[in-house]
Every structure is written in C-alpha cells, then in structure tokens.
Amino acid sequence: MTLLLTGAACGGSATSPAAGGLKVLVPVQGALLDPTQASIQSLGILLLGLEPLQRLRPDGSLRPNLATEVEQPDPRTFVYTIRSGVRFWDGTPLTADDVVHSFNLHAAKGSKSINASLWASVSNVAKTGEDEVTVELAEPDPQFPYVVAQTGIVSKAFYEKHKGNVGTPAVMNMGTGPYEFASFKPSSETVLRANPEYWGDKPAHDEVTARTVGDDSTRLLAVQSGEFDGIFNVPLNQLRSYAGLEGFEQAEAPDYAVYKFNFDTSKAPWDDIHLRRAVTLAINRADLIKGPLGGKATPAPTLVPADVMTTLAATDEVSRLYQRLESDLQFDMKVAKQEMARSSVPDGVSVTVPVTGSDPNLSAIAQTAAQSLAEIGVELKIQEVDDNTYYDAVYFKHTTDGFTLDNFGATSPDPANLPLYCLLSANGLPDGSGVNIAEYSDPQVDNALQRSQRLGTEDPKRGALLLDALESAAKDIPYVPIAHPNVYAVGNSKLDLSHFSTFWWLTDWTRLGSS
Amino acid sequence: MTTTTVVPRRHPKGAGLAPLAGYLARRLLSAAVVVAIVSMLVFAFVHAAPGGPERSIGGRFATAEQLVAIREQYRLNDPLWTQYGQFVSSALGLDFGTSYSMREPVTDSISRAASTTVPLVLFGWLAALLIGTALGVVSARHAGGAFDRGVLGFTVVGASAPIFATAILLSYVFGVALGWLPTLGEGDGGMDRIRHLVLPGVTLAIAAMAAITKVTKVRVGQVLEADHITFATARGLPPRGVLVSEVLRNSGVQLVTQAGAVLVAMLSAVILVEEVFDLDGLGSLLIQAITARDIPLIQAITLFTCIFIVAVNLVVDLVCMAIDPRLRIGRGGVTR
C-alpha cells in the first residue's frame, strides 16, 4: 500500500488549490477551544482567534499586537499598554480587565491551566491604568515575553456568562482575532471565518479550516486529492511521498527539539558513569541520522541547536564548545567495551525501553541503536505503548528501567528553554514536573542556569552562562543527544511558506510570508 | 431410528403472550447482568491502566498541586467502589456525567459522534445485506457457473483484504484519481454528509458482504437440494414463489443470525473505517477517550455498545423464533 501511495505521489496527480478558503492539516488540536487547555502546536489554531498581546515574527522576534507598547522598568516588571479601539467579535470593546482575566486563567493560584507552569514566576497581574496592565514576577524570567506571545486574550464577560462551558463545540470562545470561530469538533476540526471588523490588516482568507488527521495515508490522500492546501509538520518518513506532489512546495526548517537517550542517574545501574559513557560511545549517531531519521536532521552535540544558541552567545564560542562536545560523542566501540568492563555491570544489562507509536522515529532509532548496544552487552527490549502510558512512565513518574528515548521539543524559541527543563534539578521528581528525566542534579549547573534567569531576555551574559551549564552537564552524561530533527511543511499557492519556522504556531501562519 | 418432529401447538388468540413475556423477562434480566459485568470490568481496566485522567487534563508540565486539585475535583481519590457506585446511580437516572476532556455532557459527545456512525453502519449493513443475499442466492442457483466463480473470487478477496487496505484503495481511486468523492471527514450535514459517507459505507459493505454472500450461497444451496423444493418445482409452482416461500423461508434462520453477527462485527470494523476516513464517529471518540483516560466517556460508550450488542442478539433470537416455530420449544411448542 505504501508503494501505491508513493508511486501515485511521484506520478503527480493533478492538484489545484482547494476552493472555499484555506484548508490545512495540522498535527494536533485541543479538545477544547480554551487557552487553558491548549499548548504548543495546538495553539496554532487558537491564536488565530484569540490574539496575544505580542505576536512572534517568523524571524523569532516579537512584534506588538494587542499591546502597542511593552515596558520593562526592571527585570521583574512588565507593563503593557493595551491597543485602543479593538473590539471582540460580539462588538464589546477589549479592556485591561479582559487582559488581566486572560492572564489570571493561568497565573491565579489554583489555576488548572496546562500552561500554569509557564506562569509560575508571576506574582501579580493588575490593571494599572485604563489601558494598562502590569505583570510582576517573583523571579526574573527572560522567557516571559514568549509566554505572553502564546497566551490568547479572551473576553472576561464571555467567560462569566458561560462559566464551565467555554471551549465546548456549543459555546466555543470569544476573541478579537482576524478570524472568529465558526465551528469546532474537539481534537479534530476547527473552522474559522474572517472577522470583517478586524482592527489590523484584512485577513488573508475568507475562511480557514484546520483539521487534524491521525492516519498517515489519509493525510497524504487528502493533500493529493486537492481537498487540503497544505500540511504542517509532515512526518519524516513521508517526506518523499509529498515531495512529488504537483503544485505543492515543501518548506524545511530546523526544529528546536532533540532526540535523546536519557539515563536516570538516580537509578542503578545508570548511576554509574562508566556504563553511561559505554552506552554513549556504542551508539552510532551518524547511522541513526542517516537511517531512521532519513538524513533529515543535524547531529546534536548538546540539547540546544547551534543556530538557536547563537541568538544569545557569540558564534565562535558556540562553535568551539559544540565541536568539543561533538567529539566526546563519537562512536567508538573499542573504548565503549573498555568502559563497560569498568562499569558495575561488566557482564551486561537488559532494559525495557518504552516508545510511543505517535512518533514512529522513536521505535526506529531504538531498534537501530539496539544492534550496536548489544555488542557491549546492553540488551534493549523495545516496548511500544500508547501516549498516555509513555508520558506517565517516562516523564511523570519515572517508572521505566532508567534508560529511555524521547524527542523533547522547546515551548519557546529562547535558548534557555531546553536546558532549564532538562538540567535544572528542580524539574526532577518528586517536586518538579519530571521533565528532567535524568534526575540530573549538579549545583554548578543549577547555579549557572539560575543566574542566567536573573538577566534580561537578550543579555549576552545569559548565553555564556548557558554554555557553561551545557558544558558542565555534558561531563556527567545525563543524556545522549542524538539529533535535532528538521521540521517540514507542504503547501500550494494558497499557503505561503517562505518564512516557515518550527514556531509557525506562534505566528499568523495564514500569512507566513508577510507576518 | 427414532425421529422427533416439532409440532407447534395451536393456541387460542393471545395465549402465547404469557410465555413470551416470561422469556423476554429472563433475557432482559440476563442482559442486565451482562451489561453490569462488562461495565464493572471496563471500569476496573480503565483505572488499572497507567496514566490517569489528571495527566491528560493537567498536561505535560502539571505541578503536583494541580494534579491533586484535579483528582479532588473529579473525586478520583474516592475508593473505586464508591466511584463505580456513583456512576451506576447516575447512569440509572440517564446521567452519564461530564467528559473530563471536553467539559460537556457525555451524551452530547456521543450523540454528535453517533450522527456519523449510525448512518454509516446502517448504510454498510443494509447494502451488505441486500447485495450479499442477492449474490448468494443467484450464485447458489447457478452453482459452478461463471457467475458463481466470479462471486467466489469476490468473496475470497473481500473477506481476506484488510479493511484499511480496501479503504485506502477506494479512497485513492474515487478520491484522488477520479476526484469524485471526498477522501476524509464527515461533511456538514445533508447531501454533503451523504457524499462523505459513501466511500466509508462502501468499504464497510464490501467487508461484510463477503460473509453474507458466502453463508447465503451455502444455505440456499442446501435448501435448493432438499426434496420439498424438488416437489414444489415439480408441482409447477412459479420459480419466484418457490424462492420466496420455500427457499428463503427455510434459509431464514441462518440468514438472520448471520445478519445479526455482521451488524455486531461492524462495530469493530467501523473503528478502522473511521480512522482511515478520519470520521469523528463513535470509534474515533472511544479511541480519543481511552487516550485521554476520559473515564465517563469510556464508560458510557462501552455501556451503550454492550447494550446494543445484547439488543441485537435478542432481536435476532426473536426473529428466528418467528421464522421457525421449532425454536419455540419450551415456550408452548411440544415434542412427540
């Protein structure tokens, strides 16, 4: 069946832009049209209707949106001037109260928002003028502007009127964006129609339909048949099938994500540095990139891609450190066997590695790595489980055998995003969220990361501190970074992908080329 | 050799209703027990599965306090039997609770999904029933001929092809190559809904048709060889009359039983069809609910499914008894 689809794709069945607005396939949608229940890519739909105060540009910078001005009198205070004359779709004016309400959905004590952890540094949100909102942070947080950029502003009155039913198909939500919600099928389809009274540039399309399709073949057929104008986040294993579609162009961008093996350093035998080093050197990362990832990724010497790190640190410093880290990860079976002999398990170890079917690359990477790891006596038993089981074992409870594989993506373009999640001891269990899968704890790394958090968003000293943290952590090998995958989108003439980036969901992606 | 023949007793008008009512009562009672056991098992399995609903609701970065608050809000810390008892008492009042993930009454989610699944299954089932029975009858009457061999080939291919392969093939041919029909989605109602459900319905029908055709052909073939058919034909009865009043009537029990079995089997097939055609039906909703550990939704869907299966089996038994009086033994029939 794969052959049939591939052949058909390469044959280039004639396709034409779908009639009736823009129709795209997106990787994920929320079960509710509610900013408290949507994160990362599922925000791509929500933020078209529920606009943020600041909007991400395709180049990664932030531009004014519902806030005309942002002042930061000190590292802990942000003052937003709200744009005047903006109205919700029901005609009511946008006020500072709406902004305070929207922020407090995540920041208020007892919030059940899935984004509450992003707002954890906020100590107070207050209306400080007719069109002014001030946010005070308990601790400086250089990533906070990106948090604001992914927070949709909603109508306070609408929430009060509909109480617990906001976001359901019957009620939906109320925003000020260029598109208003026309219909919603939970986790599946959202239809938005252009807001004729929009305060900004006229919406690029009369109607936008975003659909999430789980089956690979169905997605391909939907684009091939011309029913959809494009697709975001094309699975790597299907790139070739999409490449031959007539009338469609493919866009590529580096993803701020990393495929990595994780050692639980609190759990035997993975608390043994010799075993960790043996495993690291026995994994042929180049083969994994060439094979399972189809060459559509770049080697990862550490958690943060070089092009992300250079937005904050000097290019030559980044380059020097990354070369050194890369050389420490080079495949060397001879040294791997020597390290294994010195470890606490010289006769080998057997470990079950859970993978989730929603990312088929995980299984392929694990199976390929298992072959070379078997040579040093490390037996991988790969177990495919559903998403919930995988997340529960790998992230939330750390109930695995201590050796896992994941693809961890950043929630904002800030270079500190992944190091903070993966290396800060506070993110280990039992008190943290558990995304520090390695249970890594090092005072020097914690110190560097915490100091970097006290600086301004664009302060270059942050870059130096982050490099220090990455270098120190690498010596302890809590992770084996494999690769930073590329991210792909495919679109016809209706979907301008000329400025496509991995954070497309934070931009006005209906007009990527000009936003 | 001793032969036993069942002779239905002739009752005065209304005299057979009391045993029938008793039979129905016994069946309904046993059905209630089956539904209760299934619902308890599902409840236990959902709670035993790794990853709780609080993780789906709280998200990847939920704090410990958030998780505690969510568990308290949904009373997930109550003992299991208390939670189950609450579910049962609410369900008896036709209140199946609110979906954790969609924040709407579970019945709203189910009725929205059913508006796709019910017409889809009905279309697939009726098409399979009518065409499959017709093919089976004609094939039996022309056993060994070209038509029979063609039908045999069709049933072999139809029965052995995985349903997702049939779905993708149809989708490619009629959706991509010919561009006649949409390849995914359930449409916006009315004619648009019908257009969207044609390919999924045909996929379901093809899968089910093979089984119906085969059973019909075999059973009708057996009946056609029976002596009473030969006598009826020899007496000069018209072929159509023989077919309807003798052949189909004598094949009825097997055909009705098969039709019921196919309808039940379609419930699992429709999950695959909904996946391939990306339909927001009951199968997709169940998968979504399981992924999110949305306990009220899982409980309600499995409960309704169980009731449906029990009901289909009951109806099949009643129809079979109506067709064949011998099956009424113990409810008014006698042996001698």
Side-chain angles (χ1 to χ4, degrees):
Chain A
M1 197 52 63
T2 306
L3 282 177
L4 167 72
L5 294 174
T6 308
C10 294
S13 80
T15 54
S16 56
L22 178 69
K23 295 179 81 174
V24 294
L25 297 171
V26 294
V28 64
Q29 293 191 65
L32 289 161
L33 280 178
D34 183 354
T36 66
Q37 289 296 312
S39 65
I40 53 172
Q41 289 149 347
S42 59
L43 285 169
I45 313 304
L46 218 59
L47 294 177
L48 290 182
L50 313 176
E51 294 181 280
L53 293 192
Q54 289 180 284
R55 181 80 89 172
L56 193 80
R57 289 193 182 97
D59 66 4
S61 62
L62 295 169
R63 68 169 166 82
N65 199 56
L66 287 183
T68 51
E69 228 176 293
V70 184
E71 282 180 52
Q72 197 176 1
D74 62 73
R76 294 184 185 186
T77 309
F78 290 83
V79 181
Y80 297 93
T81 305
I82 309 304
R83 187 179 294 277
S84 59
V86 176
R87 290 185 177 274
F88 287 101
W89 305 320
D90 62 0
T92 56
L94 168 73
T95 65
D97 288 326
D98 295 308
V99 176
V100 171
H101 169 79
S102 302
F103 284 1
N104 275 332
L105 287 175
H106 315 280
K109 192 169 167 54
S111 163
K112 294 192 181 71
S113 166
I114 63 171
N115 298 308
S117 65
L118 301 176
W119 289 79
S121 61
V122 173
S123 59
N124 190 41
V125 180
K127 177 180 172 182
T128 47
E130 200 52 40
D131 58 353
E132 186 182 277
V133 171
T134 300
V135 178
E136 287 172 14
L137 310 182
E139 299 283 334
D141 182 358
Q143 295 191 74
F144 186 70
Y146 298 110
V147 174
V148 171
Q150 52 189 281
T151 302
I153 302 301
V154 297
S155 159
K156 183 183 176 189
F158 189 80
Y159 268 67
E160 286 171 349
K161 182 180 174 191
H162 295 285
K163 298 229 181 280
N165 295 323
V166 175
T168 59
V171 175
M172 297 194 281
N173 214 321
M174 182 62 63
T176 60
Y179 298 94
E180 56 186 291
F181 303 122
S183 69
F184 172 59
K185 294 172 184 167
S187 307
S188 172
E189 185 181 270
T190 310
V191 179
L192 306 103
R193 79 172 82 83
N195 169 14
E197 307 298 327
Y198 186 56
W199 59 268
D201 292 341
K202 189 172 176 288
H205 304 275
D206 293 337
E207 190 175 273
V208 174
T209 302
R211 188 153 183 118
T212 299
V213 177
D215 186 76
D216 283 352
S217 306
T218 310
R219 278 196 298 265
L220 178 57
L221 289 169
V223 177
Q224 264 185 299
S225 64
E227 288 170 73
F228 282 79
D229 300 302
I231 169 172
F232 287 103
N233 295 68
V234 180
L236 294 182
N237 59 1
Q238 281 203 302
L239 277 175
R240 284 176 61 192
S241 302
Y242 284 93
L245 292 179
E246 192 181 312
F248 284 84
E249 291 197 359
Q250 199 172 81
E252 176 189 69
D255 196 359
Y256 185 5
V258 60
Y259 278 103
K260 58 184 170 61
F261 281 105
N262 316 293
F263 301 111
D264 188 335
T265 57
S266 67
K267 203 178 269 185
W270 309 104
D271 54 352
D272 178 356
I273 183 86
H274 295 294
L275 175 61
R276 299 204 296 270
R277 193 171 292 132
V279 168
T280 303
L281 297 175
I283 293 174
N284 192 331
R285 293 154 65 248
D287 276 358
L288 297 180
I289 293 170
K290 203 188 305 173
L293 296 174
K296 305 296 184 187
T298 51
T302 184
L303 298 170
V304 187
D307 58 340
V308 175
M309 187 52 86
T310 50
T311 60
L312 207 55
T315 307
D316 56 336
E317 283 177 32
V318 173
S319 175
R320 247 195 322 272
L321 175 66
Y322 276 42
Q323 277 175 18
R324 200 161 61 240
L325 296 178
E326 180 64 34
S327 68
D328 290 344
L329 295 170
Q330 288 306 299
F331 175 67
D332 190 333
M333 189 55 79
K334 191 177 158 194
V335 180
K337 284 179 177 170
Q338 289 168 359
E339 287 288 338
M340 194 67 189
R342 294 171 64 193
S343 76
S344 57
V345 284
D347 297 329
V349 61
S350 178
V351 58
T352 300
V353 178
V355 293
T356 168
S358 62
D359 182 353
N361 296 326
L362 292 178
S363 176
I365 289 172
Q367 287 180 37
T368 308
Q371 293 170 32
S372 59
L373 287 172
E375 290 187 40
I376 60 167
V378 176
E379 183 197 7
L380 299 193
K381 292 177 192 162
I382 297 148
Q383 184 184 39
E384 186 161 323
V385 294
D386 75 331
D387 274 357
N388 212 315
T389 306
Y390 175 84
Y391 287 122
D392 195 57
V394 175
Y395 294 110
F396 306 147
K397 292 185 181 158
H398 296 189
T399 49
T400 65
D401 290 349
F403 183 62
T404 54
L405 171 66
D406 76 328
N407 176 23
F408 200 87
T411 54
S412 85
D414 191 86
N417 193 271
L418 285 192
L420 284 167
Y421 279 135
C422 302
L423 298 176
L424 199 65
S425 59
N427 282 323
L429 294 180
D431 300 324
S433 64
V435 289
N436 177 351
I437 304 169
E439 291 290 349
Y440 182 64
S441 176
D442 180 83
Q444 193 181 339
V445 173
D446 277 354
N447 184 266
L449 291 173
Q450 281 158 352
R451 281 171 58 205
S452 78
Q453 284 294 89
R454 290 183 205 119
L455 301 170
T457 304
E458 290 172 11
D459 192 330
K461 288 183 203 148
R462 279 180 69 217
L465 286 165
L466 290 176
L467 289 178
D468 283 350
L470 292 175
E471 185 175 18
S472 297
K475 288 174 190 156
D476 297 324
I477 323 177
Y479 305 100
V480 188
I482 305 295
H484 303 296
N486 292 338
V487 60
Y488 293 86
V490 167
N492 63 19
S493 56
K494 282 189 177 181
L495 187 62
D496 182 358
L497 295 169
S498 52
H499 294 286
F500 170 69
S501 82
T502 187
F503 291 105
W504 61 269
W505 46 274
L506 279 174
T507 66
D508 178 359
W509 50 268
T510 61
R511 54 165 98 235
L512 267 178
S514 56
S515 64
Chain B
M1 183 185 289
T2 307
T3 58
T4 304
T5 309
V6 180
V7 177
R9 183 185 290 161
R10 291 185 186 281
H11 295 286
K13 197 174 179 183
L17 290 180
L20 180 64
Y23 173 77
L24 270 178
R26 281 196 302 279
R27 286 296 302 264
L28 288 174
L29 188 66
S30 63
V33 172
V34 169
V35 169
I37 290 172
V38 169
S39 117
M40 270 189 276
L41 286 175
V42 169
F43 192 81
F45 286 147
V46 172
H47 279 83
E54 71 273 23
R55 283 293 179 187
S56 296
I57 300 165
R60 192 171 171 182
F61 303 108
T63 61
E65 293 79 28
Q66 273 186 299
L67 296 176
V68 168
I70 293 168
R71 288 193 71 84
E72 277 173 8
Q73 180 185 347
Y74 292 104
R75 305 184 69 174
L76 295 168
N77 293 321
D78 289 356
L80 276 190
W81 62 267
T82 308
Q83 293 184 50
Y84 184 70
Q86 280 162 352
F87 164 73
V88 171
S89 64
S90 301
L92 289 175
L94 297 180
D95 173 11
F96 295 93
T98 302
S99 160
Y100 294 163
S101 57
M102 290 183 260
R103 279 191 211 151
E104 63 179 355
V106 158
T107 42
D108 286 5
S109 310
I110 290 179
S111 40
R112 192 169 54 242
S115 72
T116 297
T117 302
V118 171
L120 173 62
V121 169
L122 275 181
F123 171 83
W125 183 65
L126 286 174
L129 210 58
L130 293 175
I131 302 172
T133 305
L135 287 177
V137 169
V138 177
S139 183
R141 286 171 69 100
H142 300 89
F147 183 83
D148 181 32
R149 286 199 298 276
V151 169
L152 179 68
F154 165 75
T155 54
V156 169
V157 172
S160 55
I163 197 163
F164 68 87
T166 308
I168 292 173
L169 185 68
L170 288 177
S171 197
Y172 176 72
V173 171
F174 295 99
V176 177
L178 298 172
W180 291 352
L181 292 163
T183 59
L184 84 168
E186 53 287 311
D188 294 327
M191 277 310 290
D192 193 43
R193 171 68 51 94
I194 292 171
R195 278 186 74 238
H196 279 79
L197 292 188
V198 168
L199 289 180
V202 170
T203 305
L204 268 182
I206 287 175
M209 207 186 294
I212 290 177
T213 306
K214 207 162 186 174
V215 168
T216 308
K217 187 206 156 185
V218 170
R219 180 58 190 153
V220 168
Q222 286 171 343
V223 175
L224 282 172
E225 287 173 4
D227 290 345
H228 64 96
I229 300 298
T230 311
F231 294 146
T233 310
R235 285 204 309 274
L237 289 175
R240 182 169 296 180
V242 172
L243 179 69
V244 174
S245 63
E246 300 292 334
V247 178
L248 287 181
R249 194 176 167 201
N250 279 283
S251 313
V253 170
Q254 286 78 4
L255 299 188
V256 168
T257 305
Q258 178 68 12
V262 163
L263 186 56
V264 169
M266 272 190 173
L267 294 184
S268 55
V270 81
I271 294 177
L272 285 172
V273 169
E274 286 179 1
E275 174 75 6
V276 176
F277 289 101
D278 195 45
L279 301 172
D280 292 328
L282 286 170
S284 306
L285 187 66
L286 180 60
I287 292 173
Q288 200 178 318
I290 292 170
T291 306
R293 305 290 191 264
D294 194 332
I295 297 169
L297 201 47
I298 297 172
Q299 282 288 108
I301 297 174
T302 48
L303 189 70
F304 287 142
T305 307
C306 183
I307 291 171
F308 176 75
I309 292 171
V310 168
V312 167
N313 284 325
L314 181 59
V315 169
V316 165
D317 286 353
L318 292 175
V319 173
C320 285
M321 281 191 280
I323 294 172
D324 188 345
R326 290 172 299 181
L327 296 173
R328 297 174 207 162
I329 291 172
R331 289 195 318 97
V334 292
T335 60
R336 68 180 181 188

